[in-house]
Amino acid sequence: MFPLVLAAGLLYTHTSSAQKVVEPKAMSDEWSKPYEPFRIAGNLYYVGTYDLACYLVTTPQGNILINTGLAASTGIIRSNIEKLGFRFADTKILLTTQVHYDHVGAMAEIKKLTGAKLMVDEKDAAVMQDGGTSDYYFGGDHAVFKPAKVDRLLRDHDTVALGGSKLVLLHHPGHTKGSCSFLLDARDGARTYRILIANMPSIIIDGKFSEVKSYPGMAADYKRTLQQMKAVSFDLWVASHASQFDLHTKRKAGDNYNPAVFADKAAYQSKLRDLQQSFDKKMKE
C-alpha cells in the first residue's frame, strides 16, 4: 500500500453498531478497476482488481481467499471466482497480508456471506477487529474499514491447512505490525512450485521512525523483515499489489497459462534493494 491522505475524499461510508466507517479515497482508479482472473500456478489463482492483488487457493475441501481489496470489491472478487469455475460459497478460510483498508476493506462482508474463518497475524488482529482505529497510520476516531472478528491468531511459521494444501505464514512486520507473507507449495501435475505471496515492506510514513509513538519498534521490524525477505527460497513470487511484481508487464489479458513469468528472482531482489535504500535513507533522517 502507498501513502495517501485521509482527507483526500471518501469512497465508502457505513454505520454499524454506532461505529462510523469512512474509507479513504483510493490512491488510484486501478485499485477498483476490474481485472480478468487467471491461474498463476497449480491451485493458486489471481482474483483481485487491476492492482489490489487477491489470491484464491483451491482445494477439494473448499478454498482459501487471501486479501479482499477495497470495501466495494466483493462483487469483483465473487465474479472472478465464479468465472474461474469455482463457487464463492466454497470459501472456507480468509487471510490477509496486511490489515490496511485497501487489502481488508471487503473482509467483513465476504466473511458474512461465506461463513469463512478469518485468520490474521496476531500483531494485526486488534486493528482488524477495530476497523483500523488503532492503526499507527490510519488510526483515529472512526474506522476505515468494517471490523471483522478474528477466528484464529497466526504467528511466524504457523501453518494454515485445508484439503491437502498448506500455507506457511512468514511474519514480515514494518508496513503494519502484523504484515506477513505466505509460502505455498502448489502442485501442477508432476511438478510442485514453491510460491511466495510477498508483502513488500514499503514505507508510508513521512517523518522519522522515532516519531511514530504508537509503533515504537517499527525501525527494528523493517530491518529484520528486509533481512529475512532477502533469504526466502521460492520458485515463483507475487505480491500484495500487482504493480509490486509487475503483473501487467509480465502478463497481458488473455495470455495462456504460464507459471514461468512469475519466476523472476532477480526482479524480487532488485525491488528489495530499492526498499532497503528507502529504509537506509529514512534511518538517516
Side-chain angles (χ1 to χ4, degrees):
M1 206 192 65
F2 303 95
L4 44 94
V5 181
L6 280 176
L10 311 178
L11 279 182
Y12 175 80
T13 302
H14 178 76
T15 302
S16 176
S17 301
Q19 183 177 37
K20 186 177 182 180
V21 177
V22 183
E23 182 179 88
K25 183 177 180 180
M27 177 181 174
S28 168
D29 290 342
E30 293 179 348
W31 284 12
S32 56
K33 180 181 176 181
Y35 186 70
E36 68 168 14
F38 66 93
R39 184 185 183 197
I40 297 170
N43 60 327
L44 179 66
Y45 298 82
Y46 188 96
V47 295
T49 65
Y50 190 88
D51 186 58
L52 298 183
C54 304
Y55 300 100
L56 189 73
V57 179
T58 62
T59 88
Q61 295 178 15
N63 306 322
I64 301 170
L65 178 63
I66 305 170
N67 294 337
T68 65
L70 299 170
S73 297
T74 299
I76 294 174
I77 294 170
R78 181 172 192 161
S79 176
N80 283 347
I81 289 173
E82 292 173 349
K83 284 178 182 177
L84 291 168
F86 304 109
R87 296 177 68 244
F88 182 66
D90 287 339
T91 306
K92 302 300 182 184
I93 295 174
L94 296 170
L95 302 173
T96 185
T97 54
Q98 53 166 285
V99 179
H100 273 162
Y101 76 92
D102 53 329
H103 301 285
V104 299
M107 193 68 77
E109 182 177 12
I110 291 177
K111 186 178 194 290
K112 180 179 180 180
L113 291 172
T114 64
K117 298 297 184 182
L118 175 58
M119 304 179 186
V120 175
D121 185 297
E122 64 174 345
K123 299 297 184 180
D124 264 355
V127 178
M128 184 74 250
Q129 295 192 147
D130 65 27
T133 59
S134 63
D135 180 71
Y136 74 91
Y137 188 77
F138 291 106
D141 295 333
H142 59 259
V144 293
F145 57 84
K146 190 174 181 179
K149 177 181 176 294
V150 175
D151 299 296
R152 178 186 170 190
L153 299 177
L154 299 173
R155 298 169 179 82
D156 193 27
H157 285 88
D158 273 357
T159 296
V160 176
L162 182 69
S165 287
K166 295 181 181 179
L167 292 98
V168 177
L169 179 142
L170 303 178
H171 181 57
H172 288 157
H175 188 80
T176 68
K177 294 179 181 179
S179 286
C180 59
S181 304
F182 293 96
L183 279 173
L184 166 70
D185 287 336
R187 295 182 297 277
D188 184 11
R191 178 162 187 178
T192 298
Y193 294 97
R194 170 147 287 200
I195 305 175
L196 172 65
I197 301 172
N199 193 74
M200 305 303 279
S202 58
I203 298 170
I204 59 175
I205 62 170
D206 293 323
K208 299 177 181 180
F209 288 124
S210 59
E211 295 173 345
V212 186
K213 302 304 181 183
S214 58
Y215 191 174
M218 180 185 285
D221 278 353
Y222 268 114
K223 180 179 180 179
R224 183 170 56 252
T225 290
L226 284 162
Q227 291 172 341
Q228 292 177 344
M229 292 190 76
K230 292 171 187 175
V232 177
S233 177
F234 58 86
D235 299 312
L236 311 176
W237 76 285
V238 292
S240 300
H241 284 262
S243 54
Q244 291 175 334
F245 65 104
D246 303 318
L247 169 61
H248 304 297
T249 299
K250 295 175 179 176
R251 182 188 184 278
K252 304 302 180 184
D255 280 358
N256 293 328
Y257 174 61
N258 184 13
V261 300
F262 303 107
D264 191 349
K265 297 179 183 179
Y268 173 79
Q269 292 296 341
S270 176
K271 290 180 183 296
L272 286 179
R273 284 194 295 272
D274 290 343
L275 291 168
Q276 182 71 59
Q277 290 177 2
S278 296
F279 172 76
D280 293 341
K281 181 180 179 180
K282 179 69 68 175
M283 289 295 287
K284 294 177 182 178
E285 293 180 352

